[in-house]
Amino acid sequence: MLITSIDLELNQPTRSIISIGYVIAHARTKQVKVAKNLIVNPNEMVDPFITGLTGLTQNDINNGIPLIEAYNQMVKDINHHQVNKHPIQWGLDHNELKDQVMLGWNEFVFRRRGHDIKSLYQLYQTSSSNGKTTAGLRKAMGQLNIDWDFAHGPPHNSLADAYNTLLIFWKITDKFKRNDQIEKIFSNS
């Protein structure tokens, strides 16, 4: 089964989308089929704090594409690869995207139920020895002993955040699989 991990970067204070990053990958084999970072031009000045955080300059934004064009490119990739319609994400970015492209759930590419890996991470961490459940993406990776994969960019690059969210998803689901195998061993005793 193919899944999509998405991440958005937003301008402030408007919360306009300035970048959509997404990765289409096989849920089990972890093979990446598509990895894209689409820069969006919301026709506004990018906040200097956001430039410092994301590295996206006013020139980058000015050369970006309209939000609906970026959304349509993503939809084309998702439909071409016949991807599951419940995205992987750190938070609920698919709701923000739906609202900003002004589509109802019946027309939107994703379904209402997205997979919030931040919530999954927090649930997983409640049973750990340190019990730390609040963390941003990069800190969560550190707590799970996962190195940031810079191949797709630094933190707060939407493509890099989407890919590294997948790494957390795979780490946690691999642990769930091992626990399931242990449970099967005990139930057969």
Side-chain angles (χ1 to χ4, degrees):
M1 170 182 18
L2 293 177
I3 55 176
T4 304
S5 178
I6 66 166
D7 186 78
L8 306 176
E9 296 302 330
L10 307 177
N11 198 14
Q12 295 300 329
T14 62
R15 297 192 50 82
S16 297
I17 295 171
I18 58 172
S19 180
I20 301 173
Y22 63 98
V23 178
I24 296 173
H26 195 281
R28 288 190 186 96
T29 67
K30 304 174 185 172
Q31 179 187 15
V32 173
K33 300 285 188 179
V34 177
K36 290 188 180 176
N37 191 27
L38 305 174
I39 307 302
V40 174
N41 183 351
N43 295 308
E44 62 188 39
M45 298 299 294
V46 66
D47 184 272
F49 175 78
I50 298 302
T51 294
L53 187 67
T54 66
L56 291 171
T57 65
Q58 189 63 50
N59 191 51
D60 295 329
I61 300 303
N62 291 344
N63 290 317
I65 58 178
L67 176 59
I68 196 66
E69 187 177 325
Y71 170 76
N72 287 333
Q73 281 187 34
M74 182 182 70
V75 169
K76 183 178 178 183
D77 285 335
I78 288 169
N79 290 337
H80 174 74
H81 291 283
Q82 300 177 341
V83 179
N84 177 290
K85 302 295 178 148
H86 303 282
I88 303 294
Q89 56 206 316
W90 190 258
L92 295 172
D93 283 354
H94 77 301
N95 289 333
E96 185 74 41
L97 180 59
K98 181 193 80 62
D99 290 346
Q100 290 196 32
V101 294
M102 296 185 283
L103 293 173
W105 285 113
N106 291 335
E107 299 86 26
F108 190 57
V109 68
F110 296 121
R111 301 299 165 250
R112 287 181 200 266
R113 184 178 48 89
H115 301 292
D116 178 4
I117 302 309
K118 183 176 184 177
S119 292
L120 180 63
Y121 161 78
Q122 290 171 330
L123 181 63
Y124 174 77
Q125 284 296 98
T126 58
S127 64
S128 74
S129 58
N130 68 15
K132 292 185 179 183
T133 61
T134 304
L137 179 58
R138 188 156 187 196
K139 283 186 181 177
M141 292 182 71
Q143 290 175 0
L144 292 169
N145 296 317
I146 305 170
D147 292 328
W148 186 270
D149 188 323
F150 284 92
H152 295 96
H156 301 291
N157 169 295
S158 58
L159 173 57
D161 288 358
Y163 181 77
N164 284 282
T165 297
L166 269 178
L167 294 182
I168 291 177
F169 168 74
W170 285 326
K171 173 92 173 207
I172 293 173
T173 56
D174 285 348
K175 287 184 179 283
F176 286 159
K177 288 177 199 171
R178 283 194 296 273
N179 287 341
D180 184 49
Q181 290 170 358
I182 291 168
E183 190 174 302
K184 285 178 184 176
I185 291 168
F186 284 115
S187 65
N188 290 332
S189 307

